[in-house]
Amino acid sequence: MQRAALLMSSRLLGRLGRPGSRNPTTQRAVLTLPAACQFCIPSHARSRHGRTQPSQRESFAVRAAATDQDVLEAEGGLLEGQGRLVQWYPGHIARAERRLQEQLSQVDAVLEVRDARIPLSTCHSQIAKWCGNKPRVLVLNRLDMISERDKVAWTRHFNAAGTHVCWTDGVSGLGTGQVKKAAMEASAEINAKRKNRGLKPRPVRAVVIGFPNVGKSALINRLLNKRVCDSAPKPGVTRNLRWLRLGGDLDLLDAPGVIPASFSDQLAAQRLAMCNDIGEASYVDSFIAAALLEVFRELPAFAAINERLKQRFSTFLQAELSGEEYVEGLAERLFQGDAERAGQRILKDFRNLALGRMALELPERR
Ligand SMILES: Nc1nc2c(ncn2[C@@H]2O[C@H](COP(=O)(O)OP(=O)(O)OP(=O)(O)O)[C@@H](O)[C@H]2O)c(=O)[nH]1
């Protein structure tokens, strides 16, 4: 990833602008966001209540960078671009976050869902703070979208950090039984305490929380074995919080996707865009596609991915060609010079697995 980071700085970021700045072409906001993983914080770095120490919090803190103006605008949730307002921190998310925090006091356990392709970039810096010392279950969804090798690498990584991971496929339902079991186990002491006090057991209450489009609703539908939540291939479908009962022993709180109010890690923000985990109004497809191509170069499976690029677009991503040049070349050949359409095609192929199953983040390559 380091080479990608360098290339990004020298090539793409040159055009995208620095974190917190504007894309010079579109004047859209450049997204940035944190990419550290709270589940990987060594236990000695946590306080008794599961919160991180100030120095750790500092490094995970969500920060808008660059200009004060952007920070101000970001906190207002709106950025101006191309003569109109581009919403990247939509009002419904701000509202939902407030309601979510109100509801959290009633919750026994937290099911934190992340995208298995980008387990670090879909780590929300505030979740640990909101949830305090409530038991948390880490769910890595979209298992079908990564390779077995990626899964093994991440499992080893999380195991080393003492974190048990539930792997799920929200479409086929694979792994959802394990999630239910983990939630029940994590909250078992709730009913043990009630029993000690002579109270009747009650259903365990768990909230399902995570970035937009990571598959929370699909997972809930699978846990309930019926379609109770709207689930669609775009971020921001779930808009309201609601409680759902799972067979009498587990209540689930379905929450809209949450995103930080401001961002600090440019590469992580781009990965969210690559994986469609953030509203498409927030980014420019051609730039994100070019960035994706640079990420491909750093992956162990690059040779196989490059073969697929050749099959799909008749050209290899050669060493001397930047991602941006590849997109531009594709635009010339197939899309009458329209780089946006070329970018959309590459992103679509990646998201539909036409370029293969892969995680964009690997533990040893951050
Ligand atoms: N391939 C694959 N697709 C999935 C998986 N889980 C969910 N999806 C699809 O991804 C899209 C988004 O899933 P949702 O369940 O709506 O995501 P969400 O996290 O609830 O999204 P928000 O409502 O934006 O918070 C849907 O089209 C799902 O069918 C998965 O494990 N694998």
Side-chain angles (χ1 to χ4, degrees), residues 31-51:
L31 297 184
T32 54
L33 132 158
C37 170
Q38 293 140 0
F39 277 99
C40 303
I41 301 170
S43 53
H44 59 76
R46 292 176 195 267
S47 74
R48 269 191 327 122
H49 303 291
R51 294 194 180 126

Side-chain angles (χ1 to χ4, degrees), residues 233-254:
K234 58 177 185 182
V237 172
T238 309
R239 298 243 160 178
N240 296 306
L241 281 93
R242 65 177 170 152
W243 282 101
L244 301 155
R245 177 146 291 182
L246 184 72
D249 49 6
L250 183 62
D251 285 349
L252 290 177
L253 178 61
D254 180 24

